[in-house]
Amino acid sequence: MTATTPSDPTVLPLEQKAQLLSGQDFWSTPPVEAAGLPSVVLTDGPHGVRRQVGDLDQIGLLESVPATCFPPAVAVGSSWDPDVAERIGAAIGVEARAIGVPVVLGPGVNIKRSPLCGRNFEYYSEDPLLAGVLGAAHVRGQQGAGVGASVKHFAANNQETQRMQVSADVDERTLREIYLPAFERVVTEAQPATVMCAYNKVNGVYASQHRWLLTEVLREEWGFTGAVVSDWGAVDDRVAALEAGLDLQMPGDHGAGNALVVDAVRSGRLDEAVVDRSVRRVAALAGYVGEPTDGFDADAHHALARELAAGCAVLLKNDGGALPLASGQRLAVVGEFARTPRFQGGGSSHVNATRVDDALTALQATRPVVFAPGFTLDGSGDAAELREEAVGLARDADVAVVFAGLAEGDESEGFDRTHIDLPAAQVELIRAVAAVSPRTVVVLSSGGVVSLEGWHDDVDAVLAGFLLGQAGGSALADLLTGAVDPSGRLAETIPLRLADTPSHLNFPGEQGHVRYGEGVMVGYRHFVTVDRPVRYPFGHGLSYTTVETSDLQVTTTGADSAEVAVTVTNTGSRAGRHVVQVYVATTAGPVRRPARELRAFRKVALAPGQSETVTFPLDRRAFAHWDVRESGWVVAPGEHTVQVGRSATDVVAEATVTLAGDEIVPELTLQSSVAEWFEHPVAGPQLLEGFLATMPEGAGEMHAGMLQMIGSMPMRRFAADFGAAIPAAELERLMAAAQAAR
Ligand code: BGC
């Protein structure tokens, strides 16, 4: 289009304004020449640019322009390193500008509620702090390169089963503490250009028309100023969505929704000011449109993808120093994934990689290697024959490295898994190899967590690569050979059994509803609270060096905040990166708290012998719970223990502080219970005094017993029965006193 100076788009005719609020096609908004607005292309994301130019599809089946496939979120989550997320965001920004894409749809910060979710590979963690910090860093990087981001899928989109219809039934405390904070952090810290609403309903209302989510929480509480875009096809009632706060419907629906908007305004059902508000927000996206830049350095980005991927894989087990591989060892590499790597997930995020490294070639470049596929990705062929061939090679080698995992068809956007097992043929292969090989190392590639049961104890080392992007093969070789020290940590618990996971009985729901019955006890919060063993806990990850933690100091910095200082020392002989994990544990307050919750973390690089003192400010949110009675965050007065862990279950240092916290004067009504009245800090003592004055001698002792017996009785009924003892006027006076003290 010819460039014109943008003018106020709200002066356009209503029809044109309505048009601006939905896609002109699958991936772009319509240009409005009269207002000087160019078309804005929005495309996936999140770990690479998927720009389709020919035939279009939303589910990643058709080709797109080549772009670097960076490590997907499952890997970035395991890096515990915002620097990784930010550099990926920045590189995607550079590629998007070269390819002519002003808005790239990502990152996804939904919480991994169940290991079965088909899209867990696209999400960071089961922990909202980790997901939020990484998501905000990605947005900073991408938008710093001049390309708008879209944090998605807002909110409570934690499964693929029935994702377009299911109602995620979640209580408010759980939403506030688990499912919203990652979005909150991304919005408040990084102000993404857009937020993408989820397909599903939240407590019975489609996210696309959820006023509380899209307007009250997102804009009024968090201060979001960008545009809310629908997930592709998520709009059910266009007018209701617009009113609730959804600005842009994607993709377009050939004008049907626009006509409804125009009708609603003309008939007086919809205020035109609502249209204008969204028009301004969508028009602002034009600010990201620029002239395409002059390409990008594909080699440099591939090298970056390799460097970053190596910081993501998690060394789960390394008995007897099986890794790194020593030079001179005879090495047998087994498993189809070694030469046909699994490096990204299926669905809308599928990137047409500029090139793909495989671990076999990368290892062959460092030493002589013998290879056998061991299995086929689609289960075809003679499993016994393939296994025997691999076992034969392993028998004659000093060490066997088995590349196992899930094939692309086993997990994807669009459906959830029904189990977390590796294919049986691979389990058999691992066991057979381990039975003959002096040393067996298993390298895992999968988007979701897989069970290690049935073979874990047979092998010496396990390296979880998850999905590492297009350079994952060479990054794995770097880790196996020790060129790079493993520094990933689990962002997600690996359970012993699927049935142990907290959402198990409520996943994926039934008859249109999925009840988040486990509340805030998601992931490790559940396991540490009920003290149930897991195969590997959240936060776990080994390195080739050793790190010691010392000198933990926790000092309060106010009634509801503290500062933590702790020293970490590399006591080994190799350089490494260590993740300091800070958890807070408390039983103070009126609600059941998880036994500990991650509240801060930092990845530090340490040369051999090097010490570093790391400090963390812990603000009030680090100690707070969402209090449904107060409709807000409350810090309970009392003891809060700060714990430094190597994982959620391995606490290496702790210190307790006493916080003054918030003085909550609860509201009192006649429906409040007798116990709430007597225990009330303002009304309680006065009530008791007046009550005892009218009672016979010895009533004081009776009081405690009475509270236990009838403490739950609403005061209205109690006062009616004991009317002479507590006159209505006195209750009115006390309620007013309580209110005045709030
Ligand atoms: C996915 C989004 C994606 C969109 C566009 C949807 O099916 O849920 O994450 O951005 O398609 O491809």
Side-chain angles (χ1 to χ4, degrees), residues 27 44 50 58 105 119 122 152-153 163 196 199 231-232 348 413:
W27 299 117
D44 293 304
R50 185 169 73 96
Q58 168 192 348
L105 306 171
R119 229 172 163 180
E122 244 185 286
K152 62 192 188 178
H153 309 87
R163 65 171 166 159
M196 184 191 291
Y199 283 127
D231 198 346
W232 266 229
S348 61
E413 175 180 345

Side-chain angles (χ1 to χ4, degrees), residues 87-153:
R87 291 169 74 193
I88 288 176
I92 287 173
V94 168
E95 296 196 12
R97 294 202 57 192
I99 294 170
V101 176
V103 178
V104 176
L105 306 171
V109 298
N110 295 96
I111 295 298
K112 301 183 199 227
R113 175 176 176 246
S114 162
L116 298 177
C117 174
R119 229 172 163 180
N120 274 357
F121 75 90
E122 244 185 286
Y123 301 140
Y124 294 112
S125 178
E126 67 189 21
D127 180 84
L129 175 73
L130 186 52
V133 167
L134 297 171
H138 180 110
V139 173
R140 261 198 313 278
Q142 189 173 308
Q143 296 200 158
V147 171
S150 191
V151 61
K152 62 192 188 178
H153 309 87

Side-chain angles (χ1 to χ4, degrees), residues 8-296:
D8 180 3
T10 60
V11 302
L12 293 168
L14 178 61
E15 283 76 4
Q16 244 178 341
K17 291 194 283 191
Q19 237 173 39
L20 190 61
L21 302 185
S22 72
Q24 64 173 350
D25 54 29
F26 225 77
W27 299 117
S28 65
T29 64
V32 184
E33 293 209 17
L37 292 174
S39 166
V40 178
V41 173
L42 305 93
T43 194
D44 293 304
H47 45 262
V49 184
R50 185 169 73 96
R51 172 75 165 121
Q52 293 186 314
V53 282
D55 292 336
L56 309 179
D57 78 316
Q58 168 192 348
I59 48 176
L61 297 177
L62 301 171
E63 278 294 88
S64 51
V65 175
T68 309
C69 179
F70 289 98
V74 59
V76 179
S78 312
S79 76
W80 286 61
D81 188 353
D83 195 44
V84 168
E86 188 163 345
R87 291 169 74 193
I88 288 176
I92 287 173
V94 168
E95 296 196 12
R97 294 202 57 192
I99 294 170
V101 176
V103 178
V104 176
L105 306 171
V109 298
N110 295 96
I111 295 298
K112 301 183 199 227
R113 175 176 176 246
S114 162
L116 298 177
C117 174
R119 229 172 163 180
N120 274 357
F121 75 90
E122 244 185 286
Y123 301 140
Y124 294 112
S125 178
E126 67 189 21
D127 180 84
L129 175 73
L130 186 52
V133 167
L134 297 171
H138 180 110
V139 173
R140 261 198 313 278
Q142 189 173 308
Q143 296 200 158
V147 171
S150 191
V151 61
K152 62 192 188 178
H153 309 87
F154 190 57
N157 179 185
N158 310 100
Q159 66 186 56
E160 294 299 282
T161 307
Q162 281 213 315
R163 65 171 166 159
M164 307 242 178
Q165 307 217 320
V166 77
S167 173
D169 296 343
V170 203
D171 65 273
E172 188 175 356
R173 179 180 163 215
T174 301
L175 277 173
R176 295 284 190 169
E177 293 189 15
I178 303 292
Y179 295 100
L180 298 185
F183 290 98
E184 180 182 4
R185 184 174 290 272
V186 174
V187 167
T188 55
E189 287 187 1
Q191 200 56 256
T194 71
V195 167
M196 184 191 291
C197 77
Y199 283 127
N200 50 283
K201 298 176 189 131
V202 179
N203 294 324
V205 179
Y206 277 112
S208 58
Q209 55 199 59
H210 207 299
R211 198 191 130 75
W212 180 77
L213 273 178
L214 302 187
T215 296
E216 290 174 36
V217 173
L218 181 62
R219 294 191 186 276
E220 294 169 7
E221 287 187 32
W222 300 347
F224 177 61
T225 57
V228 175
V229 53
S230 72
D231 198 346
W232 266 229
V235 172
D236 192 62
D237 178 333
R238 174 74 187 282
V239 175
L242 197 59
E243 275 187 300
L246 181 119
D247 302 304
L248 176 61
Q249 175 188 20
M250 288 303 290
D253 59 1
H254 310 290
N258 302 344
L260 293 174
V261 171
V262 170
D263 265 11
V265 172
R266 295 258 148 83
S267 66
R269 280 176 293 121
L270 179 69
D271 189 344
E272 191 163 347
V274 173
V275 175
D276 289 349
R277 193 179 63 186
S278 290
V279 161
R280 279 193 208 95
R281 294 173 186 154
V282 174
L285 295 179
Y288 288 96
V289 178
E291 287 303 313
T293 52
D294 210 10
F296 62 91

Side-chain angles (χ1 to χ4, degrees), residues 310-337:
C312 298
V314 186
L315 182 60
L316 296 173
K317 171 177 182 173
N318 193 18
D319 286 357
L323 289 176
L325 300 170
S327 53
Q329 280 174 326
R330 286 169 306 154
L331 177 63
V333 170
V334 166
E336 185 58 49
F337 290 115

